[in-house]
Structure formats: structure tokens, C-alpha cells
Amino acid sequence: MARRALTTTAAAFATTAALLLTACGGGDDSSSDDIKGAGNSSSSPSDSASPSAGSDVKRPVIKLPSSFRLTFENWTSSDPVEQAVLNDGKEQLRAGYEAIIENDPESKNRAFYDTKNGFLQSRQWIRTYTDKNLTVIGKLPVFDPKVTLSKDKAAASLSYCTDESKASTRNRKTGEVKGNPAGTDPEVLYVISMGKNAQGVWQAVSARSERGGCAK
């Protein structure tokens, strides 16, 4: 499926010619008070709405076509705050792929789940597809989620893994389909720093990724 994983925090949404974004999980064991970017969240408006656990704020309805399947494994927690992070983290990822598929780097749905700085990164990442007339197809499992909360539960680190082995890009004009080059590790670990805004939405502040970083 093929997106080159980045190793720098700001670059995780912004980089090169690879194909997909998803991740593997290893939570941040450091004190959550040190989670970078916490408290800097700001929401963007969204017109359509759907319910989400733990908040009455209206959330956008994210729609993905049957040609691209994001599956989320074990995406549950007995802790209601952790579950809220998982819920919004899931929709943040779905909104990113919706933006790619709809050829919309300015996606309001994605912006809803990002801080202002987070959306700058997201927009760069989306444009690595849209500027090359690429969309995504296939199946992308998202698994092994882990949430680490700050002491005041206003910030969090969400990590998860993705498996790109059955995902590809397709050129909108030529129809050419490409996956990862042979020998590329299909699993990517993502670590997303998140903050809760005044409306109770967990938004992405920054992200980093590591191809091959998922536990075997």
C-alpha cells in the first residue's frame, strides 16, 4: 500500500512518495505531563455530525468507499477517557484517508480532528497523494492501540500499528496501481500526541512514525 514511514515528529503526516499512513503501537512510558503539544488544541468547524462516546459535541460523518477498508482491531478500553481518545483517534485517521480519496487537502473533516499545527502536517501528508493524482485502495488493518494519559487527562499519546501489505495507491488518471517495493516491511508504528480541546474533542497535535517499529 505504501507510504514511507517518517522518523521525525513533524514529518509523519508530511512526507514523500510512499503510500499509506497507519501504525503500530507502543505507548509512551514517560510521564504524560511531558506529552508534547498538549493543551494547544483548537477545533475547526464541521457541518455534518455523528455521535461519539464521552462528548455531546457534533462530529463529522466520515465516509470511505468500499474500495478502501480501514479495519480497527481491539479498539476498546475499559477506561472511558482512553476510549474517547481511541474514538477520536480512529476518526482522525479515517478523515485523513477520506480527504485523500476525495482529493481534498483542505478537508474540514480532517481539520476537525487536528489542532491548527497538526492540520498543517496533515495537509502536507494528504498532498503527497493529491498532488500526484493518487488515491488509495485495498485493506489497511489498524491494530495494537495503546493510550497513555497525562495526569490531568487533558493530553494523551496514542500509538498503533498498521499493516500495508494489502493496500495500494492508484493513479486517478492512468489507473496504475502500486504497492510497497519488494522487501519493504509492511508494518508501521505511529505515535500521535493528542490534546483535548474546549469542546471535548481529542485532536492530533503531532505525530511520528517508524516503519518496522511494531512488535513482532
Side-chain angles (χ1 to χ4, degrees), residues 3-216:
R3 173 187 191 279
R4 271 181 207 155
L6 306 180
T7 55
T8 59
T9 298
F13 292 125
T15 198
T16 68
L19 311 184
L20 281 170
L21 152 87
T22 299
C24 157
D28 186 351
D29 294 330
S30 62
S31 169
S32 300
D33 285 347
D34 295 332
I35 294 173
K36 294 182 180 180
N40 294 331
S41 57
S42 62
S43 62
S44 298
S46 177
D47 296 329
S48 55
S50 62
S52 180
S55 177
D56 293 331
V57 68
K58 289 184 176 181
R59 285 164 165 79
V61 176
I62 311 300
K63 296 181 179 180
L64 296 174
S66 58
S67 58
F68 181 68
R69 293 182 56 210
L70 274 176
T71 61
F72 293 82
E73 302 173 14
N74 300 318
W75 213 257
T76 59
S77 172
S78 58
D79 182 290
V81 179
E82 290 186 5
Q83 187 62 55
V85 173
L86 290 169
N87 290 347
D88 285 342
K90 172 182 177 180
E91 293 306 292
Q92 192 254 7
L93 183 58
R94 294 181 71 247
Y97 283 112
E98 178 189 58
I100 291 170
I101 292 166
E102 294 188 354
N103 201 28
D104 183 14
E106 304 297 328
S107 169
K108 291 183 177 180
N109 287 352
R110 178 66 180 222
F112 181 92
Y113 288 105
D114 285 334
T115 63
K116 290 180 179 179
N117 286 338
F119 185 63
L120 292 176
Q121 297 174 20
S122 291
R123 183 168 54 194
Q124 291 175 25
W125 166 63
I126 293 165
R127 290 191 65 176
T128 63
Y129 295 85
T130 60
D131 285 359
K132 298 174 183 178
N133 293 313
L134 297 177
T135 187
V136 289
I137 59 173
K139 180 180 178 180
L140 186 66
V142 188
F143 59 97
D144 197 16
K146 293 181 176 65
V147 177
T148 302
L149 295 171
S150 63
K151 291 180 180 178
D152 62 2
K153 296 189 176 183
S157 173
L158 169 63
S159 66
Y160 54 82
C161 286
T162 61
D163 181 352
E164 300 178 353
S165 59
K166 294 183 179 179
S168 304
T169 58
R170 182 172 62 198
N171 188 287
R172 298 175 192 274
K173 291 185 176 180
T174 68
E176 182 182 14
V177 174
K178 288 186 177 181
N180 281 320
T184 301
D185 192 324
E187 293 189 353
V188 183
L189 168 67
Y190 290 84
V191 182
I192 316 298
S193 294
M194 304 184 74
K196 186 168 67 171
N197 70 7
Q199 290 73 43
V201 178
W202 286 93
Q203 296 178 308
V205 177
S206 64
R208 63 180 176 86
S209 64
E210 179 184 358
R211 186 172 296 281
C214 298
K216 300 298 184 181

